[in-house]
Amino acid sequence: MSTDLEKPGPEKSEAPEADKPRTWTGRILSRLAGWLGGHDFHYAGYLPSRPGFLLRYTLDPFFRRVTVHPRYLEQLRGLAGQGAVVYALKYRSHLDFLFFNRRYLKLGVVAPEVAFDLNLWMWQPLSHLVQIVSAAVNYFTRRRSWPNPFQDGYFHQTIKEKRGSLLFLVDQVGFRQRFLKPREDPIRHLLEIQLQMDFPIFLVPQMIMYEKAPFRENKSLWQLFFGDSENPGRLRKLGLCLLRAKSAVVEVAEPINLKEFLATAPTDGRLRDLAQQIRRELIHRLDVQRRVVTGPVMKSREEVMELTLTDPALTRVMEHLAETKKKKIYKIKKTAQDYFWEMSSDPHVFYISAMHSLINWLSRHLFEGIAFDTKGFEKVRQASQRGSLIFVPCHKSHLDYLILNYLIFQHHMQTPRIAAGKNLSFWPLGPIFRGSGVFFIRRRFLGGKLYAEVLHTYIKTLIKTGYNLEFFIEGGRSRTGKLVLPKLGLLNMVLRAYDEGAAPDILFVPTFIGYDQVLEEKAYLQELEGGKKEAETVGQLVDARKFLKKRYGRAYIQFSEPLSLKDYMAGLPRPESGELEARQHGQELSYRIIQAINQISVVTPFSLVCAALLTYPRKGVYRRELLQIIQVLHDYLKAQGVPEADSLEDLAQATEDTLALCESRKLVTPIEKEEGLTDELGLGGYSIDETKRPLLEYYKNNILHFFLPAAMVSLSILARQGFEFSREQIMEDYGFLQDFFRNEFIFSDRDPETQVTQTLEYFTSRGVVINLDPHEASYTLSASGLKDLAYFANLLYNYLESYWIVFRSIKFLQKKPRSEKEFLKRIQSIGAKLHKLGEVERTEALSEATFQNAVKIFGEKGIVLKKAPEGKGATTFSRPADEDAKEYYGRQLARFLRR
């Protein structure tokens, strides 16, 4: 770096004769300053690009360990290309200035060379130290005063040359300086400079975070002596730098453009007032950015209990219950307190840190890697500055909340409070989960008004306090691999909390969590075959060791665009008819969230190959045909632009690897390896284990929603008597199937007519169908298109068979009404018999979850009569008095099954 750039000064004419040194000593020092730098003024707050030995070999190695996210570096480079960059730190710190100077210089972004109101004597190289001393003495001998970088134009020249600088916002020295001498306020001085510059000056608030633990309201004795984590004392900060540099991270808040600020500021505003306004805004932005990482000030469990149980609305409910149930108020309050202790979390830094260390170890042993959506998460981080976040993930495994929270913590953001089922509160996991921020809720609390009110108030208190939340909108883990219809309990409580003013805005974050393989797949299959779910116990925890003996591929985390509740509610009419309309808004919002999760679901090679293997009911498939099916399905997914695993960029290699995995798991067996068989024809092929088809179905269902438009259009075309059909006919069938399967699938929010039109256009472009008359929208099936349509249609064939089994089982209700449990048990039995007789081709059609959905829709359509229980009785089903609906749906099922 040239000498001129090292020591900027104001552009002025040569000093008059009176300013020349008056003594021989002054002349010697002036000559010495000329030899060493050639300028009159050297500032002690300037650090050369090559600092002294002490800095290079003591702190530099630790500075290199601190993480600076690439997005911040890109942002800083962009700002430097537009104007001058001035960094703003909240508290005065030599160490922080040295860090940003050295680290940014190494990273190739504009580094702060000059610090306002900071002396860096001990870090200067000897040559620059001599320059500073000699120039100061020379300056004094000339002008009988000491150098002042504000008055001498030093900072003005620094900004003019677009060199990086740094200032501090809160400190006693700086406050005294700008309070007694307002003209030496750095921000005011920068405003004066901005008025003289054509390019903008950017004030960039930033900080180094060595600790992620949230603050507590009461300071410990340690913090009183050595400072807290936000503003540690010198000894503590040095210790943090030496011991925690590897886990430290730089956070950069939104910058302020002084040129734009002055353009919008009042013309009669005083610079001193404007500077104070900017200072407050910079501090606010830094505080908000810190809360993104640490969360709000941590309150004890007892404090949260007091805030919850003394809430005026809850107090009124308790008083009303005491009056109506003729109970003493203290008993009602005691019950409410018991409910609070049962459900509430009790987070502690020790448990949070220990849990994240455990999950870090588990993730490395269980998975080959985790694909984390960093771009989507950055949008989530930015949204968190606008209000509380509610993470709403899909639920496939018990690992979901563990992995998600671990990754949120790893990416420097406060971990949310998680809603979990009370079944997970058993010892020893219960206390550990509770200490990690989990709160436990009962699966059902119908009729428990007080419990529901305490839970609602607790959630409202968490939101009001500033915590992020996380809950699974499906209610429980999906046993089928596809998203379950949303449960509205917790969502309605969040909506009610917002309506009661808990926060200015609440942002929902639809989140996808997926796996190449799910740990609990064996238990899921047992439940789908009619087995009973086993309760979580210590024994299961001990048995979980067996899962560590194998690896489960990769895990995938994707984030949808955060959904602002404030914006969403602004677009809706205010509920006028009370709770019913408000609940309808909740249902609409729940579908919007769950549709967003579907849209960001990741297609994995394993799910794609499983879908291809199940397109036919045969016990085997030729290799060439299987590869063709995979290609057809993948081409459709690519055309839809759906998210895919990186490995699918090389489809051929991904397919080979996945088939090898299927073979190792004994899901398929190459024909040549079958006992007693040889591949005389040399065509190659795979046999599919009949008992493993339900497992393949689970992973097929992970991506089935992407194929629904193509599958339903294909079913409609193939159900026609001839080869010709019209778009209106397809629309009619499409509408029927979408209504018929409304309890089965989460359909896209796109207009059905648009989906049919786009699907027909895709089939036309692929030569599957031929458009005979664009004006009349009539089509015919091409000679080569039959197979492609069958590939798509067969993705839904097992669901049609499941509904057909339930339809055939209605005869069981002829004699008398049956309970839901009895009816489902008989359906399972009838389905097994029909499968053995060959009337039902696919084993995966024998799914209890699908049977339950079929019974539900048949009840809604009047195909069976559903009677609600009286008191504690069970729901019963019987044959309908009117057989018309039954006959209509029977004909439709037979038509789509081509029977």
Side-chain angles (χ1 to χ4, degrees):
M1 185 177 291
S2 68
T3 307
D4 290 341
L5 290 179
E6 286 187 7
K7 291 161 282 299
E11 293 183 351
K12 55 175 107 175
S13 59
E14 188 177 341
E17 189 68 27
D19 283 347
K20 290 184 178 181
R22 301 175 182 177
T23 63
W24 285 104
T25 305
R27 292 175 184 176
I28 294 172
L29 288 173
S30 177
R31 182 63 58 87
L32 180 62
W35 289 339
L36 294 173
H39 282 267
D40 294 336
F41 186 41
H42 290 265
Y43 179 44
Y46 164 78
L47 191 67
S49 58
R50 183 173 176 79
F53 172 87
L54 184 62
L55 177 58
R56 292 202 308 272
Y57 294 100
T58 54
L59 295 177
D60 264 13
F62 296 96
F63 289 164
R64 286 196 292 268
R65 300 179 185 178
V66 179
T67 301
V68 185
H69 199 283
R71 68 176 179 274
Y72 292 146
L73 300 178
E74 195 65 33
Q75 180 186 12
L76 294 176
R77 291 189 185 103
L79 295 177
Q82 301 174 49
V85 176
V86 180
Y87 299 102
L89 303 185
K90 188 172 182 179
Y91 297 105
R92 173 182 293 268
S93 169
H94 284 76
L95 192 63
D96 286 354
F97 172 81
L98 295 173
F99 165 79
F100 285 111
N101 174 275
R102 303 301 300 153
R103 191 79 172 99
Y104 279 3
L105 199 63
K106 297 285 185 182
L107 292 171
V109 296
V110 58
E113 303 174 25
V114 177
F116 289 81
D117 299 329
L118 192 70
N119 287 323
L120 300 167
W121 293 94
M122 67 179 296
W123 306 106
Q124 302 287 353
L126 182 60
S127 59
H128 191 241
L129 195 59
V130 173
Q131 286 179 324
I132 294 170
V133 174
S134 61
V137 175
N138 181 39
Y139 188 97
F140 184 82
T141 59
R142 287 172 180 269
R143 307 184 185 183
R144 293 295 184 264
S145 64
W146 296 110
N148 186 311
F150 289 93
Q151 299 173 8
D152 297 327
Y154 183 88
F155 293 136
H156 182 282
Q157 188 67 17
T158 299
I159 298 299
K160 184 177 181 181
E161 295 171 359
K162 295 184 180 180
R163 298 163 60 205
S165 55
L166 183 145
L167 58 84
F168 305 102
L169 301 172
V170 179
D171 68 287
Q172 293 182 8
V173 176
F175 175 76
R176 183 171 62 250
Q177 184 74 10
R178 63 178 180 269
F179 185 68
L180 298 177
K181 301 178 181 179
R183 289 190 174 277
E184 295 187 8
D185 177 359
I187 297 180
R188 175 183 172 163
H189 192 56
L190 288 172
L191 288 172
E192 292 174 342
I193 296 172
Q194 179 65 82
L195 292 171
Q196 305 171 43
M197 297 293 174
D198 295 329
F199 56 81
I201 300 173
F202 295 99
L203 291 179
V204 183
Q206 61 180 6
M207 58 187 160
I208 312 171
M209 297 193 65
Y210 293 100
E211 297 178 298
K212 303 177 187 177
F215 298 141
R216 290 192 176 272
E217 289 186 335
N218 299 321
K219 291 189 176 184
S220 65
L221 189 62
W222 171 270
Q223 291 174 328
L224 290 174
F225 280 104
F226 298 101
D228 56 29
S229 57
E230 182 185 19
N231 184 26
R234 294 181 181 179
L235 284 177
R236 183 173 181 181
K237 173 157 280 192
L238 182 60
L240 290 171
C241 178
L242 300 179
L243 300 176
R244 295 197 177 182
K246 193 172 182 180
S247 60
V249 61
V250 170
E251 289 290 332
V252 179
E254 190 69 23
I256 292 179
N257 184 327
L258 290 188
K259 188 173 184 179
E260 292 180 356
F261 179 84
L262 287 172
T264 58
T267 54
D268 58 346
R270 294 190 303 175
L271 289 182
R272 182 177 64 186
D273 297 336
L274 295 178
Q276 193 60 32
Q277 181 182 343
I278 291 173
R279 186 180 304 278
R280 292 194 187 103
E281 178 60 25
L282 289 170
I283 292 172
H284 171 71
R285 294 186 183 189
L286 283 171
D287 289 343
V288 170
Q289 191 70 24
R290 176 175 286 276
R291 283 197 297 271
V292 168
V293 180
T294 65
V297 174
M298 183 179 285
K299 297 182 182 296
S300 67
R301 197 179 182 189
E302 289 75 15
E303 288 178 280
V304 177
M305 179 183 67
E306 183 168 346
L307 290 172
T308 301
L309 298 183
T310 59
D311 181 82
L314 179 59
T315 301
R316 288 193 295 270
V317 170
M318 290 189 291
E319 291 172 348
H320 177 71
L321 287 174
E323 182 180 349
T324 56
K325 293 189 175 184
K326 308 300 181 184
K327 290 186 177 181
K328 293 182 178 180
I329 187 65
Y330 81 88
K331 290 186 177 181
I332 298 291
K333 290 185 175 182
K334 178 65 170 60
T335 304
Q337 187 179 26
D338 292 341
Y339 287 156
F340 177 85
W341 288 115
E342 175 188 310
M343 68 178 64
S344 61
S345 64
D346 187 19
H348 192 278
V349 175
F350 170 78
Y351 284 109
I352 294 172
S353 300
M355 182 61 77
H356 286 105
S357 299
L358 174 63
I359 302 307
N360 180 36
W361 180 83
L362 277 176
S363 62
R364 286 187 283 107
H365 282 76
L366 292 175
F367 300 107
E368 295 170 2
I370 299 178
F372 186 76
D373 179 17
T374 52
K375 290 184 178 179
F377 189 71
E378 179 55 28
K379 294 179 181 178
V380 174
R381 278 178 58 95
Q382 293 173 1
S384 67
Q385 301 182 23
R386 292 155 39 202
S388 292
L389 299 179
I390 311 289
F391 289 90
V392 190
C394 57
H395 201 8
K396 290 184 169 61
S397 169
H398 278 313
L399 289 178
D400 293 345
Y401 39 84
L402 301 177
I403 290 178
L404 179 59
N405 269 32
Y406 162 71
L407 290 170
I408 290 173
F409 183 81
Q410 285 293 100
H411 287 80
H412 315 297
M413 187 172 171
Q414 63 154 314
T415 53
R417 300 290 182 265
I418 310 168
K422 189 173 179 289
N423 56 307
L424 294 176
S425 62
F426 66 92
W427 187 90
L429 277 187
I432 297 174
F433 282 162
R434 202 183 292 274
S436 303
V438 174
F439 63 95
F440 299 101
I441 61 174
R442 299 175 182 179
R443 294 291 184 188
R444 294 179 179 84
F445 40 90
L446 295 175
K449 182 173 177 59
L450 181 58
Y451 181 88
E453 285 298 321
V454 173
L455 177 59
H456 158 70
T457 311
Y458 177 62
I459 289 173
K460 182 173 73 173
T461 302
L462 292 177
I463 293 173
K464 189 181 291 186
T465 309
Y467 291 112
N468 296 334
L469 300 181
E470 176 187 332
F471 68 85
F472 299 97
I473 201 166
E474 299 169 275
R477 291 168 294 159
S478 170
R479 269 63 175 175
T480 62
K482 55 187 173 62
L483 284 180
V484 179
L485 295 182
K487 306 296 187 296
L488 303 181
L490 285 177
L491 179 62
N492 284 334
M493 288 185 180
V494 172
L495 294 180
R496 184 179 157 196
Y498 172 76
D499 194 51
E500 293 175 2
D505 195 8
I506 296 174
L507 297 109
F508 293 95
V509 184
T511 306
F512 169 78
I513 306 174
Y515 310 89
D516 282 335
Q517 298 174 56
V518 176
L519 275 71
E520 301 98 324
E521 60 184 26
K522 185 177 179 181
Y524 292 167
L525 296 181
Q526 289 176 350
E527 293 179 39
L528 291 175
E529 292 169 1
K532 188 177 179 181
K533 176 185 178 296
E534 295 182 12
E536 287 78 4
T537 62
V538 178
Q540 281 189 337
L541 185 62
V542 175
D543 290 341
R545 294 176 301 169
K546 62 187 178 185
F547 293 117
L548 300 175
K549 296 178 181 179
K550 58 179 291 189
R551 295 174 77 83
Y552 296 86
R554 292 171 63 83
Y556 304 87
I557 314 290
Q558 293 280 120
F559 300 96
S560 180
E561 189 83 26
L563 173 61
S564 166
L565 183 55
K566 180 181 178 181
D567 295 344
Y568 177 79
M569 297 302 289
L572 296 174
R574 293 290 298 174
E576 296 178 359
S577 56
E579 188 176 347
L580 182 62
E581 190 171 346
R583 193 169 287 184
Q584 183 180 352
H585 289 167
Q587 188 169 24
E588 292 171 358
L589 178 60
S590 71
Y591 272 88
R592 187 165 171 181
I593 291 171
I594 213 160
Q595 285 165 350
I597 297 174
N598 260 345
Q599 291 169 7
I600 58 173
S601 300
V602 176
V603 177
T604 66
F606 194 69
S607 59
L608 180 61
V609 170
C610 288
L613 287 168
L614 293 180
T615 51
Y616 282 117
R618 298 195 303 257
K619 294 182 178 180
V621 59
Y622 286 116
R623 174 181 169 82
R624 183 174 60 185
E625 184 178 11
L626 177 62
L627 296 180
Q628 180 185 353
I629 297 170
I630 293 171
Q631 188 67 59
V632 169
L633 298 182
H634 185 255
D635 288 347
Y636 177 79
L637 293 172
K638 290 289 284 186
Q640 304 308 307
V642 304
E644 292 184 348
D646 294 340
S647 53
L648 279 174
E649 292 179 3
D650 186 349
L651 180 62
Q653 186 61 51
T655 300
E656 293 302 324
D657 293 342
T658 305
L659 287 173
L661 175 63
C662 290
E663 183 183 345
S664 67
R665 298 188 64 191
K666 299 182 180 179
L667 302 175
V668 299
T669 305
I671 292 296
E672 59 272 17
K673 294 185 180 180
E674 286 277 3
E675 187 176 352
L677 295 178
T678 56
D679 186 16
E680 290 90 349
L681 298 177
L683 297 176
Y686 299 91
S687 65
I688 304 172
D689 187 341
E690 188 75 10
T691 63
K692 299 293 179 65
R693 289 182 68 95
L695 179 58
L696 299 175
E697 174 71 13
Y698 177 90
Y699 292 102
K700 180 195 89 173
N701 284 341
N702 288 178
I703 60 172
L704 182 57
H705 57 280
F706 290 127
F707 294 110
L708 288 177
M712 293 195 295
V713 169
S714 299
L715 276 173
S716 177
I717 296 172
L718 295 176
R720 298 285 150 193
Q721 294 295 328
F723 290 104
E724 294 188 9
F725 58 92
S726 67
R727 189 168 66 88
E728 286 70 21
Q729 291 173 324
I730 303 302
M731 275 297 306
E732 183 180 350
D733 285 344
Y734 194 94
F736 170 83
L737 290 169
Q738 189 164 358
D739 178 65
F740 191 60
F741 286 130
R742 68 187 183 200
N743 296 326
E744 199 69 57
F745 304 113
I746 306 297
F747 291 98
S748 170
D749 58 352
R750 289 187 300 161
D751 177 53
E753 186 173 353
T754 302
Q755 294 186 70
V756 169
T757 301
Q758 291 177 347
T759 303
L760 288 174
E761 288 175 352
Y762 175 78
F763 283 160
T764 303
S765 68
R766 300 278 298 184
V768 175
V769 299
I770 300 171
N771 192 340
L772 297 175
D773 187 349
H775 300 289
E776 297 295 330
S778 59
Y779 300 83
T780 187
L781 183 61
S782 69
S784 60
L786 183 61
K787 273 194 170 184
D788 281 14
L789 289 181
Y791 297 154
F792 290 107
N794 286 339
L795 292 172
L796 289 179
Y797 203 86
N798 62 294
Y799 288 95
L800 291 169
E801 286 192 324
S802 295
Y803 282 57
W804 178 255
I805 292 170
V806 176
F807 182 80
R808 291 287 303 274
S809 301
I810 295 176
K811 288 184 179 180
F812 175 62
L813 304 176
Q814 282 182 339
K815 294 182 180 180
K816 64 176 182 178
R818 306 284 182 173
S819 68
E820 185 174 14
K821 185 177 180 180
E822 288 179 304
F823 192 26
L824 288 172
K825 187 175 180 181
R826 183 53 63 95
I827 292 171
Q828 193 74 247
S829 174
I830 292 172
K833 291 175 184 176
L834 292 176
H835 179 59
K836 286 186 177 181
L837 292 171
E839 187 173 338
V840 172
E841 298 175 337
R842 291 165 167 79
T843 308
E844 59 270 27
L846 307 179
S847 166
E848 174 128 346
T850 311
F851 292 155
Q852 289 174 347
N853 292 331
V855 169
K856 184 177 180 181
I857 194 67
F858 285 170
E860 294 171 2
K861 297 298 182 182
I863 302 171
V864 296
L865 290 180
K866 179 180 178 180
K867 186 177 180 182
E870 296 179 1
K872 295 185 178 180
T875 301
T876 59
F877 293 89
S878 58
R879 286 176 65 88
D882 184 5
E883 295 285 328
D884 291 345
K886 178 174 176 291
E887 290 178 5
Y888 169 72
Y889 282 97
R891 287 195 303 271
Q892 289 287 70
L893 275 171
R895 185 166 69 89
F896 288 116
L897 286 168
R898 300 188 288 280
R899 294 181 179 175

